[in-house]
Amino acid sequence: MGYLHFLLILSISTAIQSLPFDTSSDSCDGRCGEKYNPNNHCHCNSKCEKFSDCCNDYVGLCRTLSKRVSIEDMLIG
C-alpha cells in the first residue's frame, strides 16, 4: 500500500505543477503603463487609480518609475 500511496502523491504533485497558474497579472512588475486588459485582475496604468483597480504594488513600482523618468528627462533634455 505504501508504494501505491507514493505513486498517487507523485502523480498529483506533477499534475498540480503543470496547471497554468498565472500570477503575473497580480503585480505591476514589468507592466507599468500597459494598456487596459480585461483579463488582468488588476492594472498598472494612469487610469487604474481613477477606477480603483490598481495592483497592490502600483504606487511603489509605477509611480516611482514615472518620477525617475521625469527627473531624468529634465536632467538630460
Side-chain angles (χ1 to χ4, degrees):
M1 186 70 171
Y3 183 71
L4 290 177
H5 187 85
F6 171 76
L7 287 178
L8 177 63
I9 291 173
L10 181 64
S11 64
I12 290 172
S13 175
T14 304
I16 289 173
Q17 289 176 1
S18 66
L19 289 174
F21 291 113
D22 181 16
T23 58
S24 63
S25 63
D26 292 334
S27 172
C28 285
D29 188 23
R31 297 177 50 212
C32 294
E34 75 177 4
K35 293 182 180 181
Y36 176 78
N37 180 341
N39 295 321
N40 291 341
H41 301 353
C42 58
H43 304 280
C44 306
N45 56 44
S46 59
K47 295 181 181 178
C48 73
E49 289 183 283
K50 178 181 177 181
F51 293 103
S52 299
D53 58 2
C54 298
C55 295
N56 290 334
D57 55 2
Y58 171 76
V59 172
L61 290 176
C62 300
R63 272 194 180 166
T64 304
L65 178 64
S66 68
K67 286 180 184 176
R68 271 189 252 146
V69 170
S70 296
I71 291 170
E72 288 173 6
D73 287 346
M74 289 184 338
L75 293 175
I76 296 171

Coordinates of all heavy atoms in Angstrom, one line a residue:
M1 N 0.8 -1.2 0.0 CA 0.0 0.0 0.0 C 0.9 1.3 0.0 O 0.5 2.3 -0.6 CB -0.9 0.0 1.2 CG -1.9 1.1 1.2 SD -3.2 0.8 0.0 CE -4.3 2.0 0.4
G2 N 2.0 1.2 0.6 CA 2.9 2.4 0.7 C 3.4 2.8 -0.7 O 3.5 4.0 -1.0
Y3 N 3.7 1.9 -1.6 CA 4.2 2.2 -2.9 C 3.1 2.9 -3.7 O 3.3 3.9 -4.4 CB 4.7 1.0 -3.6 CG 5.3 1.2 -4.9 CD1 6.5 1.9 -5.1 CD2 4.6 0.8 -6.1 CE1 7.0 2.2 -6.3 CE2 5.1 1.1 -7.3 CZ 6.3 1.7 -7.5 OH 6.9 2.0 -8.7
L4 N 1.9 2.4 -3.6 CA 0.7 3.0 -4.4 C 0.4 4.4 -3.9 O 0.1 5.3 -4.6 CB -0.5 2.1 -4.3 CG -0.4 0.7 -5.0 CD1 -1.7 -0.1 -4.8 CD2 -0.3 1.0 -6.5
H5 N 0.5 4.5 -2.6 CA 0.3 5.8 -2.0 C 1.3 6.8 -2.5 O 1.0 8.0 -2.9 CB 0.4 5.7 -0.4 CG 0.0 7.0 0.3 ND1 -1.3 7.3 0.6 CD2 0.8 8.0 0.8 CE1 -1.3 8.4 1.2 NE2 0.0 8.9 1.4
F6 N 2.6 6.4 -2.6 CA 3.7 7.2 -3.1 C 3.4 7.6 -4.5 O 3.6 8.8 -4.9 CB 5.0 6.5 -2.9 CG 6.1 7.2 -3.7 CD1 6.7 8.3 -3.1 CD2 6.6 6.7 -4.9 CE1 7.8 9.0 -3.8 CE2 7.6 7.4 -5.5 CZ 8.2 8.5 -5.0
L7 N 3.0 6.7 -5.3 CA 2.7 7.0 -6.8 C 1.6 7.9 -6.9 O 1.6 8.8 -7.8 CB 2.5 5.7 -7.5 CG 3.6 4.8 -7.8 CD1 3.2 3.5 -8.5 CD2 4.7 5.5 -8.6
L8 N 0.6 7.8 -6.1 CA -0.6 8.7 -6.1 C -0.2 10.1 -5.8 O -0.5 11.1 -6.5 CB -1.7 8.2 -5.2 CG -2.9 9.1 -5.1 CD1 -3.6 9.2 -6.4 CD2 -3.8 8.6 -4.0
I9 N 0.6 10.3 -4.7 CA 1.1 11.6 -4.3 C 2.0 12.2 -5.4 O 1.9 13.4 -5.8 CB 1.8 11.5 -3.0 CG1 0.8 11.2 -1.9 CG2 2.6 12.8 -2.7 CD1 1.4 11.0 -0.5
L10 N 2.8 11.4 -6.0 CA 3.7 11.8 -7.1 C 3.0 12.3 -8.3 O 3.2 13.4 -8.8 CB 4.7 10.7 -7.4 CG 5.7 11.1 -8.5 CD1 6.7 12.2 -8.0 CD2 6.5 9.9 -8.9
S11 N 1.9 11.6 -8.7 CA 1.2 12.0 -9.9 C 0.3 13.2 -9.6 O 0.2 14.1 -10.5 CB 0.3 10.8 -10.3 OG -0.7 10.5 -9.4
I12 N -0.2 13.4 -8.4 CA -1.0 14.6 -8.0 C 0.0 15.8 -8.0 O -0.4 16.8 -8.6 CB -1.7 14.4 -6.7 CG1 -2.8 13.4 -6.8 CG2 -2.2 15.7 -6.2 CD1 -3.5 13.0 -5.5
S13 N 1.1 15.6 -7.5 CA 2.1 16.7 -7.4 C 2.5 17.2 -8.8 O 2.6 18.3 -9.1 CB 3.3 16.3 -6.6 OG 4.3 17.2 -6.7
T14 N 2.8 16.2 -9.7 CA 3.1 16.5 -11.1 C 2.0 17.2 -11.8 O 2.2 18.2 -12.5 CB 3.5 15.2 -11.8 OG1 4.6 14.6 -11.1 CG2 4.0 15.5 -13.2
A15 N 0.8 16.8 -11.6 CA -0.4 17.4 -12.2 C -0.6 18.8 -11.7 O -0.8 19.7 -12.5 CB -1.6 16.6 -11.9
I16 N -0.4 19.1 -10.5 CA -0.5 20.4 -9.9 C 0.5 21.4 -10.5 O 0.3 22.5 -10.8 CB -0.5 20.4 -8.4 CG1 -1.7 19.8 -7.8 CG2 -0.3 21.8 -7.8 CD1 -1.7 19.5 -6.3
Q17 N 1.8 20.9 -10.6 CA 2.9 21.7 -11.1 C 2.6 22.1 -12.6 O 3.1 23.1 -13.1 CB 4.2 21.0 -11.0 CG 4.7 20.9 -9.6 CD 5.9 20.1 -9.5 OE1 6.5 19.6 -10.4 NE2 6.4 19.9 -8.2
S18 N 1.9 21.3 -13.3 CA 1.7 21.6 -14.7 C 0.4 22.4 -15.0 O 0.2 22.8 -16.1 CB 1.5 20.3 -15.5 OG 0.4 19.6 -15.2
L19 N -0.3 22.8 -13.9 CA -1.5 23.6 -14.1 C -1.1 25.1 -14.5 O -0.1 25.5 -14.0 CB -2.4 23.7 -12.8 CG -3.1 22.4 -12.5 CD1 -3.8 22.5 -11.1 CD2 -4.1 22.1 -13.6
P20 N -1.8 25.7 -15.3 CA -1.4 27.1 -15.8 C -1.8 28.2 -14.8 O -2.8 28.9 -15.0 CB -2.2 27.2 -17.1 CG -3.4 26.4 -16.9 CD -3.0 25.2 -16.0
F21 N -1.1 28.3 -13.7 CA -1.4 29.3 -12.7 C -0.7 30.6 -13.2 O 0.5 30.6 -13.4 CB -0.8 29.0 -11.3 CG -1.6 27.9 -10.6 CD1 -1.0 26.6 -10.4 CD2 -2.9 28.0 -10.2 CE1 -1.7 25.6 -9.8 CE2 -3.6 27.0 -9.6 CZ -3.0 25.8 -9.4
D22 N -1.4 31.6 -13.4 CA -0.8 32.9 -13.9 C -1.0 34.0 -12.8 O -2.0 34.5 -12.6 CB -1.5 33.4 -15.1 CG -1.0 34.7 -15.7 OD1 0.1 35.0 -15.3 OD2 -1.6 35.3 -16.5
T23 N 0.1 34.2 -12.1 CA 0.1 35.2 -11.0 C 0.7 36.5 -11.5 O 0.8 37.5 -10.8 CB 0.8 34.7 -9.8 OG1 2.2 34.3 -10.1 CG2 0.1 33.5 -9.2
S24 N 1.3 36.5 -12.7 CA 2.0 37.7 -13.2 C 1.0 38.9 -13.3 O 1.4 40.0 -13.2 CB 2.6 37.4 -14.6 OG 1.6 37.1 -15.5
S25 N -0.3 38.6 -13.5 CA -1.2 39.7 -13.7 C -1.6 40.3 -12.4 O -2.4 41.3 -12.3 CB -2.4 39.3 -14.5 OG -3.1 38.3 -13.8
D26 N -1.1 39.8 -11.3 CA -1.4 40.4 -9.9 C -0.3 41.4 -9.5 O -0.4 41.9 -8.4 CB -1.5 39.3 -8.9 CG -2.7 38.4 -9.2 OD1 -3.7 38.9 -9.8 OD2 -2.7 37.2 -8.8
S27 N 0.7 41.7 -10.3 CA 1.7 42.6 -9.9 C 2.0 43.6 -11.1 O 1.7 43.2 -12.3 CB 3.0 41.8 -9.6 OG 4.1 42.7 -9.5
C28 N 2.5 44.7 -10.8 CA 2.9 45.7 -11.8 C 4.3 45.5 -12.3 O 4.8 46.3 -13.1 CB 2.7 47.1 -11.3 SG 1.0 47.6 -11.2
D29 N 5.0 44.5 -11.8 CA 6.4 44.3 -12.2 C 6.5 44.0 -13.7 O 5.9 43.1 -14.2 CB 7.0 43.1 -11.4 CG 8.4 42.9 -11.6 OD1 9.1 43.9 -12.0 OD2 8.9 41.7 -11.5
G30 N 7.1 45.0 -14.4 CA 7.2 44.9 -15.9 C 5.9 45.3 -16.6 O 5.9 45.1 -17.8
R31 N 4.9 45.8 -15.9 CA 3.6 46.1 -16.6 C 3.3 47.6 -16.5 O 2.2 48.0 -16.9 CB 2.5 45.3 -15.9 CG 2.7 43.8 -16.1 CD 1.6 43.1 -15.4 NE 0.2 43.6 -15.7 CZ -0.8 43.6 -14.8 NH1 -0.6 43.1 -13.6 NH2 -1.9 44.1 -15.2
C32 N 4.1 48.5 -15.9 CA 3.8 49.9 -15.7 C 3.4 50.5 -17.1 O 4.2 50.4 -18.0 CB 4.9 50.6 -15.1 SG 5.2 50.1 -13.4
G33 N 2.3 51.2 -17.1 CA 1.9 51.9 -18.3 C 1.2 51.1 -19.4 O 0.9 51.6 -20.4
E34 N 1.0 49.8 -19.1 CA 0.4 48.9 -20.2 C -1.0 49.3 -20.4 O -1.7 49.9 -19.6 CB 0.5 47.5 -19.8 CG -0.4 47.0 -18.8 CD -0.3 45.5 -18.5 OE1 0.5 44.8 -19.0 OE2 -1.1 45.0 -17.6
K35 N -1.5 49.0 -21.6 CA -2.9 49.2 -21.9 C -3.8 48.3 -21.1 O -3.4 47.3 -20.7 CB -3.1 49.0 -23.4 CG -2.4 50.0 -24.3 CD -2.7 49.7 -25.8 CE -2.0 50.7 -26.7 NZ -2.3 50.5 -28.1
Y36 N -5.1 48.8 -21.0 CA -6.1 48.0 -20.2 C -6.3 46.6 -20.9 O -6.4 46.5 -22.1 CB -7.4 48.8 -20.2 CG -8.5 48.0 -19.5 CD1 -8.6 47.9 -18.2 CD2 -9.5 47.3 -20.3 CE1 -9.6 47.2 -17.5 CE2 -10.5 46.6 -19.7 CZ -10.5 46.6 -18.3 OH -11.5 45.8 -17.7
N37 N -6.3 45.6 -20.0 CA -6.5 44.3 -20.5 C -7.6 43.7 -19.5 O -7.3 43.5 -18.3 CB -5.3 43.4 -20.4 CG -5.5 42.0 -20.9 OD1 -6.6 41.5 -20.9 ND2 -4.4 41.3 -21.2
P38 N -8.8 43.4 -20.0 CA -9.9 42.9 -19.1 C -9.6 41.6 -18.5 O -10.2 41.2 -17.5 CB -11.1 42.9 -20.1 CG -10.5 42.8 -21.4 CD -9.2 43.5 -21.4
N39 N -8.6 40.9 -19.0 CA -8.2 39.6 -18.4 C -7.4 39.7 -17.1 O -7.2 38.7 -16.4 CB -7.5 38.7 -19.4 CG -8.4 38.3 -20.6 OD1 -9.6 38.1 -20.4 ND2 -7.9 38.4 -21.8
N40 N -6.8 40.9 -16.9 CA -6.0 41.1 -15.7 C -6.8 41.4 -14.5 O -7.8 42.1 -14.6 CB -5.0 42.3 -16.0 CG -3.9 41.9 -17.0 OD1 -3.7 40.7 -17.3 ND2 -3.3 42.9 -17.6
H41 N -6.4 40.9 -13.4 CA -7.1 41.1 -12.1 C -7.0 42.5 -11.6 O -7.8 43.1 -11.0 CB -6.6 40.2 -11.0 CG -6.6 38.7 -11.3 ND1 -7.3 38.2 -12.4 CD2 -6.2 37.6 -10.7 CE1 -7.2 36.9 -12.5 NE2 -6.5 36.5 -11.4
C42 N -5.8 43.1 -11.9 CA -5.5 44.5 -11.5 C -4.7 45.1 -12.6 O -4.3 44.5 -13.6 CB -4.7 44.5 -10.2 SG -3.2 43.6 -10.3
H43 N -4.6 46.5 -12.5 CA -4.0 47.2 -13.6 C -2.9 48.1 -13.2 O -2.7 48.4 -12.0 CB -5.1 48.0 -14.4 CG -6.2 47.1 -14.8 ND1 -6.1 46.3 -16.0 CD2 -7.4 46.7 -14.3 CE1 -7.2 45.6 -16.1 NE2 -8.0 45.8 -15.1
C44 N -2.1 48.6 -14.2 CA -0.9 49.3 -13.9 C -0.7 50.5 -14.8 O 0.4 50.8 -15.3 CB 0.4 48.4 -14.0 SG 0.2 46.9 -13.1
N45 N -1.8 51.2 -15.1 CA -1.7 52.4 -15.9 C -2.3 53.6 -15.1 O -2.8 53.5 -14.0 CB -2.4 52.2 -17.2 CG -3.9 51.8 -17.0 OD1 -4.6 52.4 -16.2 ND2 -4.3 50.8 -17.8
S46 N -2.2 54.8 -15.7 CA -2.6 56.0 -15.0 C -4.1 56.0 -14.7 O -4.5 56.8 -13.8 CB -2.2 57.2 -15.9 OG -2.8 57.2 -17.1
K47 N -4.9 55.3 -15.4 CA -6.3 55.3 -15.1 C -6.7 54.3 -14.0 O -7.9 54.4 -13.5 CB -7.1 54.9 -16.4 CG -6.9 55.9 -17.5 CD -7.7 55.6 -18.7 CE -7.4 56.6 -19.8 NZ -8.1 56.3 -21.0
C48 N -5.8 53.4 -13.6 CA -6.2 52.5 -12.5 C -6.6 53.2 -11.2 O -7.5 52.7 -10.5 CB -5.2 51.4 -12.3 SG -3.7 51.9 -11.5
E49 N -6.0 54.3 -10.9 CA -6.4 55.0 -9.7 C -7.8 55.5 -9.8 O -8.5 55.5 -8.8 CB -5.3 56.1 -9.4 CG -4.0 55.5 -8.9 CD -3.0 56.6 -8.6 OE1 -2.5 57.2 -9.5 OE2 -2.8 56.8 -7.4
K50 N -8.1 56.0 -10.9 CA -9.5 56.6 -11.2 C -10.5 55.5 -11.0 O -11.6 55.7 -10.4 CB -9.5 57.2 -12.6 CG -10.9 57.7 -12.9 CD -10.9 58.3 -14.3 CE -12.3 58.8 -14.7 NZ -12.3 59.3 -16.1
F51 N -10.2 54.3 -11.5 CA -11.2 53.2 -11.4 C -11.0 52.3 -10.2 O -11.7 51.3 -10.1 CB -11.1 52.4 -12.7 CG -11.6 53.2 -13.9 CD1 -10.7 53.7 -14.8 CD2 -12.9 53.4 -14.1 CE1 -11.1 54.4 -15.9 CE2 -13.4 54.1 -15.2 CZ -12.4 54.6 -16.1
S52 N -10.0 52.6 -9.4 CA -9.7 51.8 -8.2 C -9.5 50.3 -8.5 O -10.0 49.4 -7.8 CB -10.9 51.9 -7.2 OG -11.0 53.3 -6.8
D53 N -8.7 50.1 -9.5 CA -8.4 48.7 -9.9 C -6.9 48.5 -10.1 O -6.4 47.6 -10.8 CB -9.2 48.2 -11.1 CG -9.0 49.0 -12.3 OD1 -8.1 49.9 -12.3 OD2 -9.6 48.7 -13.3
C54 N -6.1 49.3 -9.4 CA -4.6 49.1 -9.5 C -4.1 47.9 -8.7 O -4.7 47.5 -7.7 CB -3.9 50.3 -8.9 SG -4.2 51.9 -9.7
C55 N -3.0 47.3 -9.2 CA -2.4 46.2 -8.4 C -1.8 46.8 -7.1 O -1.5 48.0 -7.0 CB -1.3 45.6 -9.2 SG -1.8 44.8 -10.7
N56 N -1.6 46.0 -6.1 CA -1.1 46.5 -4.8 C 0.2 47.2 -4.9 O 0.5 48.1 -4.1 CB -1.1 45.3 -3.8 CG -2.4 44.8 -3.4 OD1 -3.4 45.5 -3.5 ND2 -2.5 43.6 -3.0
D57 N 1.0 46.8 -5.9 CA 2.4 47.4 -5.9 C 2.5 48.5 -7.0 O 3.6 49.0 -7.3 CB 3.4 46.3 -6.2 CG 3.1 45.5 -7.5 OD1 2.1 45.8 -8.2 OD2 3.9 44.6 -7.7
Y58 N 1.3 49.0 -7.5 CA 1.3 50.1 -8.5 C 2.1 51.3 -8.0 O 2.9 51.9 -8.7 CB -0.1 50.4 -8.9 CG -0.2 51.6 -9.8 CD1 0.2 51.6 -11.1 CD2 -0.6 52.9 -9.3 CE1 0.1 52.7 -11.9 CE2 -0.7 54.0 -10.0 CZ -0.3 53.9 -11.4 OH -0.4 55.0 -12.2
V59 N 1.7 51.8 -6.8 CA 2.3 53.0 -6.3 C 3.8 52.9 -6.2 O 4.6 53.7 -6.6 CB 1.7 53.5 -5.0 CG1 2.4 54.6 -4.4 CG2 0.2 53.8 -5.2
G60 N 4.3 51.8 -5.6 CA 5.7 51.6 -5.4 C 6.5 51.4 -6.6 O 7.6 51.9 -6.7
L61 N 5.9 50.7 -7.6 CA 6.7 50.4 -8.8 C 6.4 51.4 -9.9 O 7.4 52.0 -10.5 CB 6.3 49.0 -9.4 CG 6.7 47.8 -8.6 CD1 6.2 46.5 -9.2 CD2 8.2 47.8 -8.5
C62 N 5.2 51.8 -10.2 CA 5.0 52.6 -11.4 C 5.1 54.1 -11.1 O 5.6 54.8 -11.9 CB 3.6 52.3 -11.9 SG 3.4 50.5 -12.4
R63 N 4.6 54.5 -10.0 CA 4.7 56.0 -9.7 C 6.1 56.3 -9.5 O 6.6 57.3 -10.0 CB 3.9 56.3 -8.4 CG 2.5 56.7 -8.7 CD 2.0 57.3 -7.5 NE 0.6 57.7 -7.5 CZ 0.0 58.0 -6.5 NH1 0.5 58.0 -5.3 NH2 -1.3 58.4 -6.5
T64 N 6.9 55.5 -8.8 CA 8.3 55.7 -8.6 C 9.1 55.7 -9.9 O 9.9 56.6 -10.1 CB 8.9 54.7 -7.6 OG1 8.1 54.7 -6.4 CG2 10.3 54.9 -7.3
L65 N 8.7 54.8 -10.7 CA 9.4 54.7 -12.1 C 9.1 56.0 -12.9 O 10.0 56.5 -13.5 CB 8.9 53.5 -12.8 CG 9.5 53.3 -14.2 CD1 11.0 53.1 -14.2 CD2 8.8 52.1 -14.9
S66 N 7.8 56.4 -12.9 CA 7.5 57.6 -13.7 C 8.2 58.8 -13.2 O 8.6 59.7 -13.9 CB 6.0 57.8 -13.8 OG 5.4 58.1 -12.6
K67 N 8.3 58.9 -11.8 CA 9.0 60.1 -11.3 C 10.5 60.1 -11.7 O 11.1 61.1 -12.0 CB 8.9 60.1 -9.7 CG 7.6 60.5 -9.3 CD 7.5 60.5 -7.8 CE 6.1 60.8 -7.3 NZ 6.0 60.8 -5.8
R68 N 11.1 58.9 -11.7 CA 12.5 58.7 -12.1 C 12.7 59.2 -13.5 O 13.6 59.9 -13.9 CB 13.0 57.3 -11.9 CG 13.6 57.1 -10.5 CD 14.3 55.7 -10.5 NE 13.4 54.9 -9.7 CZ 13.2 53.6 -9.8 NH1 13.8 53.0 -10.8 NH2 12.4 52.9 -9.1
V69 N 11.8 58.7 -14.4 CA 11.9 59.0 -15.8 C 11.7 60.5 -16.0 O 12.5 61.1 -16.8 CB 10.8 58.2 -16.6 CG1 10.7 58.7 -18.0 CG2 11.1 56.8 -16.6
S70 N 10.8 61.2 -15.3 CA 10.6 62.6 -15.4 C 11.8 63.4 -15.0 O 12.2 64.3 -15.7 CB 9.4 63.1 -14.6 OG 8.2 62.4 -15.0
I71 N 12.5 63.0 -13.9 CA 13.7 63.7 -13.5 C 14.8 63.5 -14.5 O 15.5 64.4 -14.8 CB 14.1 63.2 -12.1 CG1 13.0 63.6 -11.0 CG2 15.5 63.6 -11.7 CD1 13.2 63.0 -9.7
E72 N 15.0 62.3 -15.0 CA 16.0 62.0 -16.0 C 15.7 62.8 -17.2 O 16.7 63.4 -17.8 CB 16.0 60.5 -16.3 CG 16.6 59.7 -15.2 CD 16.5 58.2 -15.5 OE1 16.1 57.8 -16.6 OE2 16.9 57.4 -14.7
D73 N 14.5 63.0 -17.7 CA 14.2 63.8 -18.8 C 14.6 65.2 -18.6 O 15.1 65.9 -19.5 CB 12.7 63.7 -19.2 CG 12.3 62.4 -19.8 OD1 13.2 61.6 -20.2 OD2 11.1 62.1 -19.8
M74 N 14.3 65.7 -17.4 CA 14.7 67.1 -17.1 C 16.2 67.3 -17.1 O 16.7 68.3 -17.6 CB 14.1 67.5 -15.8 CG 12.6 67.7 -15.8 SD 11.8 68.3 -14.2 CE 12.9 68.0 -12.9
L75 N 16.9 66.4 -16.6 CA 18.4 66.5 -16.5 C 19.0 66.3 -17.8 O 20.0 67.0 -18.2 CB 18.9 65.4 -15.5 CG 18.5 65.6 -14.0 CD1 19.1 64.5 -13.2 CD2 19.1 67.0 -13.5
I76 N 18.5 65.4 -18.6 CA 19.1 65.1 -19.9 C 18.6 66.1 -21.0 O 19.4 66.5 -21.8 CB 18.8 63.6 -20.3 CG1 19.5 62.7 -19.4 CG2 19.3 63.4 -21.8 CD1 19.2 61.2 -19.6
G77 N 17.3 66.3 -21.0 CA 16.6 67.1 -22.0 C 16.9 68.5 -21.9 O 17.1 69.3 -22.7

